[in-house]
């Protein structure tokens, strides 16, 4: 008899927040539909015909009349997934940088680590990531790990799987990109661990075979918003040095069944594959 709690294509909802993604959104949604029966697209006030590109596809579409930010789009998608009875939500960005072929690997990892948040970590092609993004991600990993109480890798990745106990957490604060950071902190404080699964990610480049729209992430403004928010999360509980020491003793868990060689992480994350499975 099948285990009703086991995650699969019929009980995992894929949530795609989208803002002016007409360039690649059909490819993204078709890829998601190939991996899951439930796809929820949240159009965050697009004015480029994003929704028109997928009007004939069997997806749930939620629309914001004006731009409300990624946090609001994810909240709306989570609420709809809960209404539909999904046991987990898998998020992916609408710009085409996430490969839908990685979705089964994240679901499989979630079944190996019940109750954990699974992060699709951009570890395999770190050299192709723009330098400023890589520096920002490493800094974010350091701060978010401190707030979570254990080290994490690629805490800024938008491809994640949240179990129902996490995506239905009430009153998670934060707007825009801050919401994704806070989801990891809130998950950790609820008792959930974060597990990283190496994924493929594609970036815009002059010699790249695929075209991508310019990132909505504004380095200075959004990084400052995330940093200041996470700093408050770190400071509020007090006992900073003792918590920092405990955090550094807990390496990130990297679930890499393929076992392919991974490039070295930043110095703070060196030797983190000790949690590998």
């Amino acid at each position: 008899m099948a285990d009703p709690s086991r995650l699969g294509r019929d009980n995992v909802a894929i949530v795609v927040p989208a803002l002016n993604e007409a360039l690649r959104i059909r490819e993204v949604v078709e890829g998601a539909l190939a991996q899951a029966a439930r796809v929820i697209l949240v159009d965050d006030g697009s004015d480029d015909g994003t929704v028109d590109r997928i009007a004939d596809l069997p997806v749930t579409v939620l629309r914001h009349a004006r731009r409300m930010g990624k946090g609001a789009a994810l909240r709306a998608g989570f609420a709809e997934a809960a209404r539909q009875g999904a046991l987990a939500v898998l998020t992916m960005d609408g710009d085409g940088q996430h490969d839908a072929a990685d979705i089964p690997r994240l679901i499989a990892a979630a079944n190996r680590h019940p109750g954990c948040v699974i992060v699709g970590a951009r570890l395999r092609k770190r050299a192709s990531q723009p330098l400023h993004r890589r520096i920002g991600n490493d800094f974010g990993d350091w701060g978010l790990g401190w707030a979570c109480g254990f080290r994490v890798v690629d805490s800024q990745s938008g491809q994640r799987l949240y179990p129902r106990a996490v995506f239905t957490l009430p009153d998670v604060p934060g707007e825009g990109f801050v919401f994704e950071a806070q989801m990891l902190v809130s998950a950790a404080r609820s008792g959930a661990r974060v597990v990283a699964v190496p994924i493929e990610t594609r970036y815009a480049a002059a010699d790249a075979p695929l075209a991508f729209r310019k990132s909505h992430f504004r380095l200075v403004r959004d990084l400052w918003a995330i940093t200041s928010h996470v700093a408050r999360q770190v400071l509020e509980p007090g006992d900073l040095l003792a918590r920092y020491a405990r955090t550094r003793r807990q390496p990130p868990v990297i679930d890499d069944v393929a076992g392919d060689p991974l490039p070295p992480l930043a110095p703070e994350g060196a030797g983190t594959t000790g949690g590998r499975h």
Side-chain angles (χ1 to χ4, degrees):
M1 186 174 184
D3 180 357
S5 66
R6 186 169 181 80
L7 302 180
R9 62 172 289 114
D10 293 326
N11 56 21
V12 174
I14 298 179
V15 171
V16 182
L19 170 62
N20 291 335
E21 303 290 9
L23 179 64
R24 305 298 299 279
I25 195 62
R26 187 173 182 90
E27 171 196 327
V28 170
V29 171
E30 287 180 334
L33 284 169
Q35 305 297 343
R38 308 167 193 245
V39 176
I40 301 167
L41 183 135
V42 185
D43 179 69
D44 191 34
S46 297
D47 57 12
D48 69 341
T50 291
V51 172
D52 296 338
R53 302 296 172 91
I54 51 97
D56 61 322
L57 298 179
V59 302
T60 299
V61 176
L62 308 177
R63 303 192 72 169
H64 293 165
R66 58 180 177 81
R67 181 177 180 179
M68 298 177 67
K70 193 173 187 182
L74 288 172
R75 284 191 184 92
F78 291 174
E80 176 61 20
R83 189 192 70 78
Q84 292 185 16
L87 297 186
V89 158
L90 195 151
T91 62
M92 58 189 299
D93 294 339
D95 59 4
Q97 291 190 26
H98 297 138
D99 189 344
D102 284 320
I103 290 172
R105 298 176 58 241
L106 270 66
I107 293 175
N111 283 321
R112 289 191 291 271
H113 305 273
C116 292
V117 175
I118 311 298
V119 173
R122 297 161 291 185
L123 298 177
R124 299 203 185 284
K125 296 181 179 178
R126 286 173 68 82
S128 67
Q129 188 178 31
L131 179 61
H132 67 281
R133 295 288 295 274
R134 197 157 69 243
I135 292 172
N137 285 343
D138 289 341
F139 182 69
D141 291 351
W142 175 77
L144 271 168
W146 198 351
C148 289
F150 47 77
R151 289 158 64 186
V152 297
V153 291
D154 203 3
S155 56
Q156 306 303 309
S157 173
Q159 190 169 29
R160 304 176 178 179
L161 185 147
Y162 300 100
R164 188 176 179 92
V166 173
F167 80 77
T168 58
L169 284 172
D171 304 321
V172 176
E175 301 302 328
F177 292 99
V178 171
F179 178 75
E180 287 182 300
Q182 181 60 46
M183 280 299 297
L184 295 185
V185 177
S186 295
R189 292 179 178 175
S190 75
R193 190 68 193 252
V194 176
V195 175
V197 173
I199 61 168
E200 298 293 340
T201 306
R202 300 166 285 190
Y203 291 97
D207 59 348
L210 299 174
F212 300 100
R213 57 105 175 123
K214 184 178 179 181
S215 174
H216 294 313
F217 188 90
R218 288 153 293 190
L219 182 64
V220 175
R221 193 172 99 172
D222 291 325
L223 186 58
W224 169 250
I226 293 170
T227 300
S228 58
H229 179 86
V230 172
R232 288 193 295 272
Q233 301 300 304
V234 170
L235 292 170
E236 282 175 1
D239 198 20
L240 293 180
L241 294 181
R243 285 193 298 110
Y244 183 77
R246 288 195 297 269
T247 296
R248 304 323 298 169
R249 290 195 297 267
Q250 298 193 54
V253 178
I254 301 178
D255 185 310
D256 186 22
V257 173
D260 297 331
L262 298 175
L265 303 179
E268 275 291 338
T272 58
T273 54
R276 197 175 189 163
H277 294 261

